Amino acid sequence: MLKFIKHHMTGIDGIEIYPIISLSIFVLFFVGMLIWAFREDKSKIEELKSMPFD
Amino acid sequence: MELEKFEYDNKIVRNFTVATMIWGVIGMLVGLLAATQLVLPDLNLTSWLTFGRIRPLHTNAVIFAFVGNGIFAGVYYSLQRLLKARMWSDKLSNINFWGWQIIIVSAVISLPLGYTSGKEYAELEWPIDIAITILWVVFGWNMFATILNRRVKHLYVAIWFYLATFVTVAVLHIVNSFELPLHFMKSYSWYAGVQDALVQWWYGHNAVAFFLTTPYLGLMYYFIPKASGRPVYSYRLSIIHFWALIFIYIWAGPHHLLYTALPDWAQSLGVVFSIMLIAPSWGGMLNGLLTLRGAWDKVRDDVVLKFMVVAVTCYGMVTFEGPMMSLKSVNIISHFTDWTIAHVHIGGLGWNGMLTFGMIYWLIPKIYKRELFSKKLANVHFWLGTLGILIYAIPLYWAGFMQGFMWQDFNPDGTLVNKDFLDTVTKLKPYYTLRAIGGGIYIIGVFIMMYNVFKTMLIGKLEVNEAVEAPSLPKLIGKEEGEHWHRVIERKPVRMIIVSLVVILIGGAVEIIPTFLVSSNVPTIASVKPYSPLELEGRDIYLREGCYNCHSQMVRPLRFETARYGEYSKAGEFVYDHPFQWGSKRTGPDLHREGVGNKQNRPDSWHYLHMLEPTDISPGSIMPSYEWLIDDDLDKTYSERKITAMRTLGVPYEIGYEEKVLEEMEVQARGIAENILKDLQPDDFSPQQVNKLKEKEIIALIAYMQRLGSDIHKDSEEILNK
């Protein structure tokens, strides 16, 4: 009986790769973003921060 | 530099604010009625006031009418100021406003009348879906054109959240609303079974993310700094917060379907991404709260900030709890119980509600150029609101735990302790009562706010057009030396929108494409056959009455479930279900194994009496009585066309089957009617009685009940012989 669940999508070749691809895309994206965010220079940050008050 | 003179449009902000309050009160009162019906089922007064029909009205009203108008109010106020530009077109602003209200009114009329697509949080029928799409484009167009006409260089973080909201909601709404119209107010979901479930929860989850969360985070990033006079704690954190949030959220939908017939890998994906969601969510929460660091003395005196602090705190709680609930071991207890309802109300009443109230108290005095009518009343509202949330949520959490454990309790001899599902319901009544009281207190607070705000409006005078001056925008072209990549995106809203779109599409695609590769039309279980025409009509009644608001159709492969309901549900059993009806909450028992051949099966006459008056059969039941199903004749106008529609969607009815539809319905209906009369009046019923009874709606519904989950018991041979 279990096969009805188990084999519903496992029939597609290489389906296991999906979660792995997705996780890698995310991790790469996230690390890249962290690096960029922290290289941002201070004065610009201050300028952006104060936008609601200008 | 030359100064340009222009004016902010405050009238549109006022209009949306008033609409927010009015729809808020209406939506919450409907919720209060629904909550009270679970204690006093007699309050299901007429067909259009039954729980199954008004619960969708409540959810749609608070999400799309209360929060929806709140989003527009906040966006129209902050966008103009952050861009130093009036909204691009007053005409579009007004179309946005009136169009949205008309959509809401059509929902308020159509949902109680039973016009529904039967998909949770997306119940509105296709003409309204199209109207929503058009209105959403109007909103986006107006926002986008304003951004292009701005007088500042960069886009403040709040605006990214608005843009992501716009793009994602558009995608979600369109993908989830693929449906085949049958007539003006009825359609069938394009997807079936597992596929439909996955699309629906991808939508449902992300509606929470991109309708209840991202726009409100945008509002948080604008209004907390404004109300406290302090810039956001960390702008870098806000960049990370934004991208991580929109990236991760879109993947987490499957956590609504743990232990169901959804494939394992998709479930695991949902769990992993749900846990990761804690990071950006808490980043955002801390960013909001830390903005107030060193200003806590202000928070004590300023009621606006108090509302906002409670809102952000609730956001933190709910975004911690959510990932916890997607852990399989916790989900086993929480799923299908009122725990989920408590969870969403920390979000709804706490995060969305309190932030909206704080924003309104801050904004109305600004555009009416006078102090709030009464600070004292606003403080009373604050305490009532906070108290209301606690009295609402704590008993309901308790009820959820209790019920979750009661379902699982086994005696030493391996039998269930609470064999009768109803026993686990009647024990919850005191908690349901407290919950309704909590909700009532919260609503009293909202009434006080309305009084306070309307008084302020009467005494003050709306500054319809607020005159301002700003330098016209310096040339935007050309990249500055060593400019940061993100600022390039910020300056270019088009690119910004495209990048967000790509980010959410990747997540959506990975989640959904594999399910599309599996042709849902090929039955994985040979004995599973399409519904008979009468059963199909019965299913439509099930949708119309919103039975899915109390009943699930998904027996999970867990020992305590199979002991109660029988064989667990298989993906292949739902291939003809347009739309799927797995449900998300069990106020009543699961119904997937209600049909013939199952453990849970009941005679036709049992259903007849039970639907007529549930408490006669199950004393203490809180299910509404459905006597109109026994009075009303089944409308067969569309019976043949329904078969055609289903065939278009891929259900394998043979060509020409339409001609046999009425005849087959007649035979099946007569059989059920005779069964009922044989049981109720043995040896003593006339052919006229049979003829009368067989025409009734109840017969179709019973036909559907008897079919539920029964196909797996038939072997293929039996079907061939038929």
Side-chain angles (χ1 to χ4, degrees), chain B residues 305-354:
Chain B
L305 289 178
K306 278 198 239 180
F307 272 106
M308 292 182 174
V309 166
V310 169
V312 177
T313 310
C314 285
Y315 175 66
M317 280 167 33
V318 83
T319 54
F320 179 74
E321 189 191 20
M324 291 303 116
M325 291 166 80
S326 55
L327 293 174
K328 283 193 153 185
S329 48
V330 179
N331 193 268
I332 255 190
I333 309 165
S334 74
H335 197 53
F336 290 135
T337 72
D338 289 303
W339 183 343
T340 313
I341 317 301
H343 169 69
V344 298
H345 281 84
I346 296 290
L349 301 174
W351 163 239
N352 296 113
M354 299 301 256

Side-chain angles (χ1 to χ4, degrees), chain A residues 1-13 15-30 32-54, chain B residues 82 84 152 154 156 194 222 225-226 229-236 239-240 243-244 247-248 251 261 263-265 269 272-273 276 480 484-485 487 490 503 506 510 513-515 517-518 524-525 567-571:
Chain A
M1 269 301 153
L2 204 70
K3 69 171 192 277
F4 288 127
I5 292 191
K6 290 285 180 216
H7 298 306
H8 185 65
M9 250 167 259
T10 37
I12 306 168
D13 280 344
I15 186 83
E16 326 73 58
I17 198 91
Y18 258 93
I20 300 169
I21 295 180
S22 39
L23 208 64
S24 346
I25 295 176
F26 171 74
V27 170
L28 283 177
F29 183 88
F30 195 74
M33 193 189 57
L34 277 181
I35 296 170
W36 273 316
F38 282 101
R39 285 178 49 203
E40 175 79 274
D41 75 69
K42 184 108 181 132
S43 61
K44 275 291 168 191
I45 288 274
E46 290 306 320
E47 184 192 327
L48 290 167
K49 245 186 176 179
S50 65
M51 284 188 76
F53 304 104
D54 294 340
Chain B
L82 283 170
K84 301 232 177 319
V152 296
H154 298 292
Y156 181 67
V194 176
Y222 180 78
K226 283 303 259 191
R230 312 171 71 90
V232 54
Y233 169 66
S234 163
Y235 200 82
R236 288 180 219 274
I239 300 181
I240 301 170
W243 287 108
F247 201 95
I248 302 180
W251 308 70
D264 281 349
W265 68 267
L269 191 74
V272 171
F273 275 91
M276 296 201 311
E480 284 166 36
H484 188 274
W485 71 282
R487 280 205 309 277
E490 276 160 25
V503 165
I506 294 176
V510 175
I513 289 174
T515 39
L517 295 177
V518 184
T524 30
I525 305 175
E567 188 64 43
Y568 68 88
S569 309
K570 321 285 187 296

Side-chain angles (χ1 to χ4, degrees), chain B residues 44 119 164-165 250 259 284 347 369 372 417 451 474 478 531 615 625 645:
Chain B
N44 290 285
K119 290 175 70 157
T165 301
I250 205 85
Y259 291 111
K369 298 285 171 222
L372 192 63
V417 175
Y451 172 75
Y531 293 107
T615 46
S625 66

